[in-house]
Amino acid sequence: MNQIKIGAFISGCRKAKGWTQNQLGEKLGITDKAVSKWETGRSMPDLSLFMPLCSLLEITLNELLAGERIPEENLKEKTEEVLLEVITSWLGNDEWELREDGMGAKNVLEVRDVSKIYNTENTSTLAIDSVSFQVPYGSFVGIMGASGSGKTTLLNLIATIDTPTNGAIEINGQDIVGLSEIDKAKFRREHLGFIFQEYNLLETLTIYENIALALTVKEIPKNKVKETVLNLSERLDISTILDKFPYEVSGGQRQRCACARAVSVNPDIILADEPTGALDSNAAKQLLDTFTMLRNDYGATILMVTHDILSASYCDKILFMKDGKIKTVLNRKQESRQAFFSSILEKMAWIAEDENHVL
């Protein structure tokens, strides 16, 4: 993948629009320095910016990655070539270890015909429209979609933070829709683990105390709390920072602390909302490797909302949302991570190029 060629292509498309680097940066919510680095080939746009950038410059994803306009008659051949280069550049040449896809396993989460309508004095907004899906035990499922597609609203319904207008949600056989607010709070504490983009750690507690807090609330014996915290911190490579406060450690370390806290109480399911959103690429990869370890070694079940294709490639299954509905589903099955990354990228390219494409 030729970053200099891609940078020159971005520069040419920007200038054709009559925009300065600062104007393009403002439209994307980044600095003009970041745009300058792209255009001089010193860095590549973050994956989360690919689709917005293509939309603004009125180019296809494949043209962006190729660094040139692609005639329609050459589109299929060029697409395959570009995808191979991208996959090799980001994921390397090695084959990833194949994993079971969880098919046939008992479901920890059942979402059946769920809808959510928000009513105001003058309008009604259908945020979630008759959504149904299952998450098997020990699986890693991702939800992708543009801003406003309903993915975070759906996660909030599953987290009992909000209540669906219609439909049923069961976690480990427990119907959570009809629970009282007190019972919902108890259910969240005992059955759910949470990992947020902004960590949600208590700044006045040490890393050790943040992890231990969830166990203490469940009245776990003190010696067991210590054993659990030490074991998890060792596995997540944060054992050397247990006496530090969150503001004293890196974003990646804070997020791994959040992972330890989430898994410490052995929840039925871990709900992760854009967990890599505040991390740089290296810290994000460490976190995703941590998720894989939690899934493989601890049997954790993870449901993750993400806009990032690389993050999604770690999942077993991806639910693509649009306008409050699940429009299509990709199952990893026995694909390597490289192959699944390619499948996701191809799907995103089709979605970006033709909003009316029937998935």
Side-chain angles (χ1 to χ4, degrees):
M1 185 168 55
N2 190 327
Q3 288 188 198
I4 294 177
K5 183 179 179 182
I6 292 172
F9 182 56
I10 293 173
S11 177
C13 292
R14 171 184 61 78
K15 290 175 181 176
K17 289 284 187 181
W19 297 334
T20 64
Q21 290 180 341
N22 185 58
Q23 287 172 320
L24 178 58
E26 286 180 349
K27 293 176 186 295
L28 292 169
I30 59 174
T31 65
D32 58 339
K33 290 182 179 179
V35 175
S36 177
K37 286 183 178 180
W38 299 350
E39 295 188 353
T40 54
R42 288 178 289 166
S43 70
M44 279 288 291
D46 185 84
L47 284 170
S48 64
L49 294 176
F50 276 11
M51 299 310 173
L53 180 61
C54 288
S55 178
L56 285 170
L57 299 181
E58 296 185 83
I59 58 177
T60 68
L61 178 61
N62 294 310
E63 287 174 328
L64 172 65
L65 298 175
E68 62 185 5
R69 294 285 184 180
I70 302 175
E72 188 172 349
E73 60 269 22
N74 298 334
L75 184 60
K76 185 177 187 302
E77 178 183 354
K78 193 66 177 179
T79 296
E80 292 174 353
E81 177 186 331
V82 169
L83 285 175
L84 179 60
E85 287 189 16
V86 170
I87 293 165
T88 301
S89 296
W90 275 317
L91 300 183
N93 289 305
D94 294 335
E95 286 293 312
W96 296 88
E97 180 183 355
L98 298 179
R99 299 183 300 174
E100 295 297 325
D101 64 1
M103 296 300 290
K106 182 181 176 183
N107 294 322
V108 65
L109 172 65
E110 295 265 2
V111 177
R112 295 193 297 273
D113 202 26
V114 165
S115 297
K116 178 63 181 179
I117 301 173
Y118 291 103
N119 293 310
T120 63
E121 186 175 344
N122 299 316
T123 62
S124 292
T125 302
L126 182 59
I128 301 295
D129 187 2
S130 301
V131 165
S132 298
F133 67 96
Q134 301 81 38
V135 176
Y137 276 97
S139 62
F140 186 2
V141 176
I143 303 175
M144 298 189 77
S147 178
S149 62
K151 56 187 186 296
T152 297
T153 299
L154 179 59
L155 196 71
N156 287 340
L157 296 176
I158 295 167
T160 73
I161 295 170
D162 204 350
T163 303
T165 306
N166 298 299
I169 301 175
E170 291 186 3
I171 296 177
N172 201 15
Q174 168 74 57
D175 178 10
I176 65 172
V177 173
L179 295 176
S180 67
E181 291 304 314
I182 292 176
D183 287 338
K184 283 180 180 178
K186 184 173 185 290
F187 185 86
R188 285 194 294 270
R189 185 170 64 248
E190 296 181 352
H191 297 275
L192 303 180
F194 295 93
I195 301 173
F196 302 95
Q197 179 175 332
E198 297 299 332
Y199 323 121
N200 280 29
L201 301 178
L202 297 177
E203 295 292 333
T204 56
L205 299 182
T206 65
I207 297 299
Y208 179 98
E209 291 166 340
N210 266 283
I211 301 171
L213 182 61
L215 294 162
T216 304
V217 169
K218 290 190 70 173
E219 300 182 350
I220 304 297
K222 190 173 182 179
N223 63 330
K224 183 64 176 177
V225 169
K226 183 176 182 180
E227 178 186 344
T228 301
V229 173
L230 293 180
N231 286 341
L232 281 172
S233 64
E234 185 70 30
R235 293 302 308 274
L236 273 63
D237 195 26
I238 53 174
S239 59
T240 60
I241 61 167
L242 290 178
D243 61 342
K244 295 185 180 296
F245 291 92
Y247 59 82
E248 296 179 308
V249 303
S250 70
Q253 290 171 323
R254 276 177 279 178
Q255 199 60 296
R256 292 201 297 279
C257 171
C259 286
R261 180 184 59 187
V263 78
S264 66
V265 294
N266 193 28
D268 293 331
I269 188 169
I270 294 173
L271 305 176
D273 189 7
E274 300 282 7
T276 62
L279 304 179
D280 61 34
S281 58
N282 289 332
K285 186 179 185 305
Q286 281 186 315
L287 178 66
L288 293 164
D289 288 338
T290 296
F291 281 173
T292 301
M293 182 273 290
L294 293 176
R295 174 195 187 276
N296 292 342
D297 296 355
Y298 289 86
T301 305
I302 303 169
L303 180 64
M304 175 178 70
V305 165
T306 184
H307 62 266
D308 179 56
I309 303 172
L310 186 59
S311 297
S313 71
Y314 280 72
C315 297
D316 306 316
K317 178 168 69 174
I318 304 295
L319 313 176
F320 290 91
M321 292 195 69
K322 182 182 177 184
D323 299 329
K325 296 181 179 180
I326 294 176
K327 289 294 187 179
T328 191
V329 177
L330 277 180
N331 286 293
R332 181 174 172 180
K333 298 182 179 179
Q334 292 297 307
E335 286 184 306
S336 67
R337 191 176 299 152
Q338 288 175 313
F340 196 44
F341 180 96
S342 174
S343 298
I344 297 168
L345 194 57
E346 286 182 306
K347 181 66 68 176
M348 295 297 288
W350 276 111
I351 293 171
E353 290 169 18
D354 186 358
E355 288 292 330
N356 297 316
H357 180 66
V358 179
L359 300 173

